[in-house]
Amino acid sequence: MQLVSNSLTDQQPIGEKYVFAVIDPENHVALSDNVNPHLAWSGAPQGTRSFAVVVHDPDVPSAGDDVNQEGREVPASLPRVDFYHWTLFDIPAEQSSLEEGAYCSGITPRGKSGPDAGNGLRHGKNDYTGWFAGDAEMAGDYFGYDGPCPPWNDSIIHHYVFTVYALDVDTLPAGDDLGGSALAEIIKAHALDSASLTVTYTLNPKLA
């Protein structure tokens, strides 16, 4: 399979239009346009019955002690974990692209609704659901796409992996847990093939 994008260039920085936050000289970060990028795929194997898209960042700090703390830096040596930014599934087998801005354009405090994504497609929850859980103004269930917002004091540049999977089922048996990690495992279990592209991003002015 092949995955291409009019919005993203493989192995290059992601554009600010597609991220959750940008660098702000006075406040470290400012909210951005948060638009989902265009994706298009081809070469699905015979037997493909639907598609799913998963977007994750494998570079998220495994401990939050130093994250976004003045006078501190998240060390490169800290073990890293996955953070899921988007899961979209039950994409019909005859569909071969997602349009830019069709599923997210702007930031929705407390999260976009779901899992219904329109036209029979379904969204999972992204990991901002957990990140904002203790924030009185932002807490909620974050369905669909929300773009990159790595710690502004992280010592490494983050990578964002966009993957489309060709699946052997018409409808993913998602169950009750619609979190990105759980859905990714179910998607992989039904995958016939996949294709990915990877972009980078940082909010650390020293690395930008």
Side-chain angles (χ1 to χ4, degrees):
M1 285 181 68
Q2 296 81 42
L3 177 63
V4 297
S5 175
N6 295 334
S7 310
L8 312 172
T9 302
D10 192 37
Q11 305 302 323
Q12 295 296 314
I14 189 172
E16 291 186 347
K17 181 179 183 180
Y18 311 106
V19 304
F20 196 89
V22 294
I23 294 172
D24 182 280
E26 308 219 341
N27 302 302
H28 296 297
V29 300
L31 298 181
S32 191
D33 295 333
N34 200 41
V35 171
N36 76 269
H38 163 266
L39 299 172
W41 53 90
S42 59
Q46 187 172 2
T48 298
R49 295 169 61 183
S50 69
F51 295 100
V53 169
V54 177
V55 181
H56 80 288
D57 170 5
D59 298 319
V60 171
S62 58
D65 301 358
D66 298 315
V67 169
N68 297 339
Q69 297 297 312
E70 295 286 354
R72 294 156 79 173
E73 186 174 72
V74 180
S77 59
L78 185 70
R80 304 290 166 147
V81 297
D82 292 331
F83 186 104
Y84 288 88
H85 285 268
W86 196 14
T87 49
L88 179 64
F89 52 101
D90 293 354
I91 303 168
E94 61 271 15
Q95 186 170 334
S96 60
S97 66
L98 302 174
E99 294 307 309
E100 180 177 301
Y103 297 95
C104 184
S105 183
I107 290 168
T108 304
R110 302 188 181 279
K112 294 181 289 298
S113 62
D116 180 22
N119 297 317
L121 282 65
R122 288 189 287 166
H123 280 308
K125 296 177 190 176
N126 66 55
D127 284 342
Y128 285 109
T129 300
W131 176 254
F132 286 125
D135 186 319
E137 295 182 1
M138 296 290 283
D141 289 332
Y142 283 73
F143 282 91
Y145 179 83
D146 283 301
C149 185
W152 51 258
N153 64 337
D154 206 339
S155 57
I156 68 168
I157 292 173
H158 286 224
H159 296 77
Y160 298 85
V161 185
F162 288 73
T163 306
V164 60
Y165 293 89
L167 306 184
D168 62 3
V169 290
D170 297 311
T171 301
L172 194 73
D176 295 328
D177 185 353
L178 292 172
S181 178
L183 284 173
E185 290 306 309
I186 299 170
I187 288 167
K188 289 174 186 176
H190 288 278
L192 299 171
D193 200 356
S194 65
S196 299
L197 58 83
T198 300
V199 292
T200 60
Y201 193 58
T202 181
L203 287 170
N204 187 337
K206 298 177 186 176
L207 303 177

